[in-house]
Amino acid sequence: EVQLVESGGGLVQPGGSLRLSCAASGFTFSSYWMSWVRQAPGKGLEWVANIKQDGSEKYYVDSVKGRFTISRDNAKNSLYLQMNSLRAEDTAVYYCARLTYYDFWSGYRSNDYWGQGTLVTVSS
Amino acid sequence: DIQMTQSPSSLSASVGDRVTITCRASQSISSYLNWYQQKPGKAPKLLIYAASSLQSGVPSRFSGSGSGTDFTLTISSLQPEDFATYYCQQSYSTAETFGQGTKLEIK
């Protein structure tokens, strides 16, 4: 059974830092791209970042570029999101999700498994 | 960035109704379109990928269609467990984007 379990959320002051973790199990972690997606309270979903299997490619939404870093440790089956210079607008539930490519050449892909999310609150 | 616009933003329907939700992209995205369902307090669930492919385990009353800029999610006969919020997502660009969501409520 595929499981994704996020941790590391909490209350942080504006300008502060936080590191989220996602522990993966039930599949070969090193074979999959992974994603972070967030959802502000009462709002819709926002894609945050994707990372390739070996970490060699990373993509970010413009609003977090230069502040957030996605990374992974395949030996530990873990995904991370380092968040620096946090702002009030970063307050959200952060979801870790597996990104499955259905056909490498076409590039069709989707987030087929999600964790339960971890809440990050940026407030003084 | 590619903007995704869903309509309607909210919808009231009854059990047994046929419901259609529309998603429009700001530029052509071929068939790089996914649909998700989210219930309150829960993580999103993948329903449809590549515009029209049904994810394993998802009931066949859900279907997706479209290509280019216009897409639809159809629920052929609403069941009580289908009342939720639905999101489209484009995966054409490396910078993925979601629609704003469509909340499906019981009439």
Side-chain angles (χ1 to χ4, degrees):
Chain A
E1 179 192 6
V2 172
Q3 285 198 323
L4 298 167
V5 180
E6 301 94 337
S7 60
L11 176 63
V12 60
Q13 291 188 339
S17 297
L18 211 56
R19 189 197 196 203
L20 305 184
S21 299
C22 172
S25 60
F27 65 103
T28 305
F29 181 73
S30 59
S31 296
Y32 287 85
W33 285 69
M34 295 296 295
S35 304
W36 287 102
V37 176
R38 67 184 179 182
Q39 186 169 36
K43 302 298 183 182
L45 300 172
E46 181 181 37
W47 170 78
V48 174
N50 286 343
I51 185 169
K52 193 177 180 180
Q53 292 95 327
D54 61 0
S56 62
E57 292 182 39
K58 304 175 183 181
Y59 302 98
Y60 300 92
V61 65
D62 283 347
S63 60
V64 308
K65 284 179 182 176
R67 300 189 300 123
F68 289 11
T69 301
I70 187 172
S71 64
R72 63 193 296 160
D73 185 336
N74 288 339
K76 294 183 178 180
N77 290 339
S78 293
L79 177 71
Y80 306 103
L81 187 66
Q82 178 67 43
M83 303 185 295
N84 299 331
S85 302
L86 282 161
R87 307 166 180 167
E89 54 265 36
D90 296 317
T91 294
V93 173
Y94 285 73
Y95 294 102
C96 159
R98 190 177 82 169
L99 185 60
T100 287
Y101 272 80
Y102 300 97
D103 180 286
F104 176 79
W105 300 111
S106 72
Y108 289 117
R109 63 187 186 272
S110 67
N111 295 112
D112 58 348
Y113 287 93
W114 299 63
Q116 84 290 348
T118 187
L119 177 62
V120 172
T121 303
V122 184
S123 174
S124 55
Chain B
D1 287 359
I2 300 173
Q3 308 302 317
M4 307 300 294
T5 303
Q6 291 181 230
S7 60
S9 295
S10 63
L11 174 61
S12 294
S14 301
V15 172
D17 283 354
R18 179 183 180 89
V19 166
T20 297
I21 297 170
T22 296
C23 179
R24 176 165 289 175
S26 60
Q27 68 179 74
S28 177
I29 58 170
S30 184
S31 295
Y32 292 86
L33 193 283
N34 305 314
W35 289 98
Y36 299 87
Q37 176 194 65
Q38 187 180 34
K39 297 181 179 179
K42 300 294 187 181
K45 172 187 175 182
L46 176 65
L47 299 175
I48 301 284
Y49 63 92
S52 60
S53 295
L54 191 68
Q55 172 68 355
S56 176
V58 173
S60 59
R61 63 181 180 274
F62 291 92
S63 64
S65 65
S67 67
T69 59
D70 294 315
F71 302 87
T72 58
L73 173 70
T74 299
I75 309 172
S76 60
S77 178
L78 271 175
Q79 298 302 301
E81 60 268 29
D82 299 338
F83 292 94
T85 300
Y86 293 84
Y87 294 93
C88 62
Q89 176 204 35
Q90 65 81 17
S91 59
Y92 179 84
S93 167
T94 54
E96 300 174 2
T97 44
F98 287 90
Q100 82 279 14
T102 294
K103 187 174 184 179
L104 180 52
E105 299 173 305
I106 300 173
K107 184 183 286 184

